[in-house]
Amino acid sequence: MSNPPVAQAAGGDALPENPARRRVLLSAGLMAAAAALLPWARMAYADAPAQASPADLDAFLGLGERLTGRAHLPPDISARLFAALAQGNRAFGASVTRLVRAMDIAGVDDMRAFKGSAVDRNPELKALAVSIVSGWYLGYTGTPEGLVVKDDTQFITYTGALMFEPTRDVTVIPTYARAGTDHWAVAPASIATD
C-alpha cells in the first residue's frame, strides 16, 4: 500500500494532499467569483434591449404606419426605432401591445382620430404614441442636449426621417447633395433641368 502524496509547506513541513479539500476550495472560489459577477449580470440584463420577435416587429411597424398615416414604412428603420425605444425597458413590447389594443378598442385608425380619444386621455399610452411618432419624424429618440458629452438620444435614421418628406421634391436634405457628391462642380445643362 502506498502513502498519499505529500506537499511541502513553506517552512519545510510536509502537508498531506487532500483532493476533497481542493475541490471544496475550488468550488468556494468559483462561487465567490460568480457572486461577484451577479450584480453586473443583472445590470447587463436590465440594460439589454428587449428581444423582439418577428411578430412584435411586424406589429410595431403596423403601429408606426397607423400613427404616421403612412401606408408603407421601411421595416429596417422600424426595427431600429423599436430597439432604441426599448433600450433599458424590457416591458416595451407589452406596452406596444397595450397601445395597439387601446387604439383598436377606441377605433383609432390614424392620428386624426387620436385627439380626444380614450387613448389620448391616457397619459402613459399617449406618451408612448408621441415617442413613436417623434422617432419616425425626427430620426432619433430621446432629447439631445447641447454642450454635453452624453445624453439619452439614439440615432435611428437621417435621410429616412419623415420630417424631410413634405419638401423632398423641392429642397435637399441638409448636408446631402441631391445629385451626389460634387454635383455642383459641373455646370448644369440648363436651368430648366436643374
Side-chain angles (χ1 to χ4, degrees):
M1 180 172 185
S2 65
N3 291 331
V6 292
Q8 200 69 21
D13 296 333
L15 298 173
E17 288 188 16
N18 186 344
R21 184 175 174 198
R22 284 187 183 172
R23 282 192 289 269
V24 169
L25 288 174
L26 182 61
S27 297
L30 291 175
M31 288 174 47
L37 294 175
L38 189 58
W40 176 82
R42 285 184 180 157
M43 287 188 310
Y45 177 78
D47 291 341
Q51 296 296 317
S53 69
D56 290 339
L57 293 178
D58 286 345
F60 186 72
L61 177 61
L63 176 61
E65 289 170 349
R66 284 172 74 178
L67 291 173
T68 62
R70 302 297 195 283
H72 303 288
L73 291 173
D76 57 336
I77 293 176
S78 179
R80 286 198 300 267
L81 180 59
F82 182 96
L85 291 172
Q87 186 79 25
N89 180 4
R90 300 203 61 80
F92 183 74
S95 297
V96 167
T97 301
R98 265 196 318 275
L99 177 57
V100 170
R101 286 187 184 146
M103 289 177 65
D104 289 344
I105 292 170
V108 177
D109 291 330
D110 59 32
M111 288 306 278
R112 289 176 294 211
F114 192 90
K115 186 79 174 165
S117 70
V119 184
D120 186 33
R121 291 188 298 272
N122 182 318
E124 180 184 341
L125 295 178
K126 181 179 180 180
L128 177 59
V130 169
S131 69
I132 293 170
V133 171
S134 176
W136 276 109
Y137 273 89
L138 298 177
Y140 62 84
T141 61
T143 305
E145 295 184 29
L147 305 177
V148 295
V149 176
K150 188 172 182 178
D151 56 26
D152 66 343
T153 57
Q154 294 281 321
F155 175 75
I156 307 300
T157 181
Y158 186 72
T159 58
L162 296 180
M163 68 177 162
F164 298 120
E165 196 171 279
T167 59
R168 190 178 299 265
D169 59 336
V170 291
T171 61
V172 296
I173 296 173
T175 74
Y176 275 80
R178 182 181 306 165
T181 305
D182 294 337
H183 80 97
W184 47 267
V186 178
S190 71
I191 293 177
T193 58
D194 287 333

